[in-house]
Amino acid sequence: SNRPMLDTKATGRIDVSRDTAVNVEGRYYLSTDYPGSPNLTAGLARLPIYQTFGASGGVTQRFNHLELLFKAGIDRTVYNESELTDGSRFSNHDRDFNQFSGQARASYEVFPGVKPFVEVSGDARRHDLQFDRNNLQRNSNAVTPKVGTTFEISKKLTGEVAVGYVMRKYQDPNLADLRGVTVDGSLAWQATGLTTATVTASSRAEE
């Protein structure tokens, strides 16, 4: 069946000095559970929508060819009520949560435009309710190490690719850890000095 999906970001950079920059980001994501998800109940009139909105800020510091990045963020995810075919509704408040995250990256420029990097990101998810509808505690912590590189095909065409491994551990011992390989990439074309078009691909680990 059809599913709505919206993924938007707004970013900004403040150059404090030639080697120091402050980065900020605001984001909004809207979607639904996929059809057949075990989180869905029988008799739904339509898939319930959920929204995630958040912001992050960080600092990038350059030391000649070495570049260090540190970033912290917070996101809020909320679910709409579910509507059943008989007209009744029930709350999904037990699925609402806040996520607190951090990221550290070290990269080194070996050639102009080519900067291999190592990165570690982590987050803590804290739900509004201690127990969900199945009497499970869904609070969790995750760590995702990555390795990758930026690259430059031409002065106007640049990109980035990374491979990582996500490891999420839940508070409830009855919930198995979530683990898996992640692949992320982007390709940016600078059409003019003021216009850039970017294509991205990313992995999402859904509960």
Side-chain angles (χ1 to χ4, degrees):
S1 61
N2 294 331
R3 300 170 57 201
M5 200 278 280
L6 176 65
D7 190 357
T8 63
K9 292 181 181 180
T11 61
R13 188 183 74 187
I14 303 171
D15 292 323
V16 179
S17 69
R18 188 186 67 175
D19 296 319
T20 306
V22 175
N23 304 285
V24 294
E25 178 181 289
R27 50 189 171 266
Y28 176 76
Y29 184 81
L30 179 147
S31 188
T32 70
D33 286 312
Y34 59 87
S37 165
N39 290 313
L40 300 177
T41 58
L44 282 176
R46 60 182 57 86
L47 297 171
I49 289 173
Y50 72 87
Q51 306 170 72
T52 299
F53 43 90
S56 60
V59 176
T60 301
Q61 180 66 48
R62 288 178 290 274
F63 303 93
N64 198 1
H65 294 288
L66 175 66
E67 184 176 279
L68 302 178
L69 178 148
F70 301 95
K71 184 167 67 173
I74 181 172
D75 294 88
R76 170 73 175 166
T77 297
V78 292
Y79 284 79
N80 289 3
E81 289 185 329
S82 294
E83 181 181 345
L84 303 183
T85 52
D86 62 7
S88 62
R89 296 173 176 268
F90 68 89
S91 172
N92 288 305
H93 183 49
D94 60 330
R95 301 181 66 188
D96 298 346
F97 67 89
N98 296 317
Q99 177 171 294
F100 308 92
S101 60
Q103 176 188 349
R105 175 189 286 196
S107 57
Y108 191 86
E109 187 177 41
V110 292
F111 303 108
V114 179
K115 293 190 293 185
F117 62 82
V118 293
E119 176 184 306
V120 177
S121 60
D123 69 69
R125 291 182 176 177
R126 298 296 178 260
H127 287 71
D128 293 3
L129 302 182
Q130 182 179 1
F131 295 93
D132 70 1
R133 67 198 64 182
N134 299 311
N135 206 35
L136 297 173
Q137 301 178 82
R138 288 194 171 272
N139 287 347
S140 62
N141 299 311
V143 176
T144 306
K146 293 181 180 181
V147 294
T149 186
T150 64
F151 56 87
E152 183 177 285
I153 299 175
S154 68
K155 291 297 182 182
K156 291 191 174 184
L157 193 60
T158 59
E160 177 179 305
V161 63
V163 177
Y165 191 78
V166 62
M167 297 170 284
R168 180 172 298 282
K169 184 174 182 61
Y170 294 90
Q171 179 178 349
D172 199 304
N174 293 309
L175 293 174
D177 294 350
L178 177 63
R179 297 173 179 268
V181 175
T182 64
V183 179
D184 303 282
S186 65
L187 191 63
W189 173 51
Q190 187 173 358
T192 69
L194 298 176
T195 304
T196 301
T198 304
V199 177
T200 63
S202 61
S203 302
R204 291 177 63 90
E206 299 287 358
E207 298 191 1

